[in-house]
Amino acid sequence: MRKISFRYFFLLISVCLVGCGSDPVQEDLLNYVNKELKQAGELENIALDAYDSVTGQNYKDDQTMYDVISLTVIPTYRDFIMELEDVKAETEEVRKLHEQYIEAANIQQGAFSLILTALENQSHEKMSEANAKLAEARKMLRDYNKGIEDLAKEHDVELN
């Protein structure tokens, strides 16, 4: 009887040590940031760089802005969202943050579409609505980034 008890005890200790030695959230977060988001991040950068090239100080005229947003920003950003939808997160903590990212991206995509409508109709009201959506998406993205930073600290992951 003691042999059986000792074996079960040893088995339980072994399982606990294996569980204590690995952190599934840490592993998932590392995979998420370093692998899963790589392609999506590249597409997002292309879309946002194109958008930045025709807004703010880089604004030239409405037609140029319309062409870049309709031909580059929106299609690339749509591909970015599709990539985001394919990202797999194994843990609830990473999944929850990822859903925030998807929601913010969809709001931003809607804002880009509203900008086109505003330009087509020369509507200051629609442009204001688009800018409000962009501001909402930026806030959500800041919250997402803060959540990633907090989760990284909590699970001893160094972000570069």
Side-chain angles (χ1 to χ4, degrees):
M1 189 74 163
R2 283 189 177 182
K3 272 186 165 175
I4 293 173
S5 297
F6 182 74
R7 286 183 182 165
Y8 282 105
F9 178 73
F10 182 72
L11 181 63
L12 286 173
I13 295 289
S14 297
V15 171
C16 287
L17 290 175
V18 170
C20 295
S22 67
D23 179 351
V25 174
Q26 181 185 56
E27 291 172 17
D28 193 28
L29 185 59
L30 285 167
N31 183 62
Y32 175 75
V33 171
N34 292 324
K35 293 180 184 165
E36 290 289 332
L37 286 182
K38 188 173 181 164
Q39 177 66 26
E42 290 171 6
L43 289 168
E44 181 182 33
N45 287 336
I46 292 167
L48 296 179
D49 286 348
Y51 178 75
D52 289 343
S53 76
V54 294
T55 59
Q57 292 178 340
N58 297 318
Y59 174 81
K60 294 177 183 91
D61 57 66
D62 284 356
Q63 188 60 52
T64 302
M65 183 180 206
Y66 183 89
D67 290 344
V68 169
I69 291 174
S70 64
L71 299 174
T72 304
V73 175
I74 288 178
T76 306
Y77 209 79
R78 186 179 313 114
D79 292 344
F80 158 65
I81 290 173
M82 288 173 50
E83 285 290 325
L84 276 186
E85 295 282 348
D86 288 341
V87 167
K88 303 290 184 248
E90 299 298 321
T91 60
E92 183 64 31
E93 295 88 340
V94 176
R95 238 185 336 267
K96 182 179 173 186
L97 287 168
H98 184 64
E99 289 301 319
Q100 285 180 288
Y101 195 11
I102 292 172
E103 185 179 354
N106 280 308
I107 290 170
Q108 191 152 281
Q109 176 77 353
F112 294 145
S113 295
L114 269 174
I115 290 170
L116 290 184
T117 301
L119 291 170
E120 288 168 351
N121 300 320
Q122 292 297 298
S123 170
H124 295 290
E125 182 181 311
K126 288 290 181 195
M127 190 61 80
S128 292
E129 189 179 335
N131 286 330
K133 281 186 173 285
L134 287 173
E136 178 185 359
R138 277 193 305 273
K139 184 199 178 307
M140 291 177 73
L141 289 168
R142 281 192 304 272
D143 291 345
Y144 161 80
N145 285 324
K146 176 77 169 105
I148 290 289
E149 289 171 11
D150 291 348
L151 195 60
K153 280 183 193 173
E154 185 179 328
H155 294 275
D156 296 321
V157 174
E158 187 176 323
L159 298 173
N160 294 326

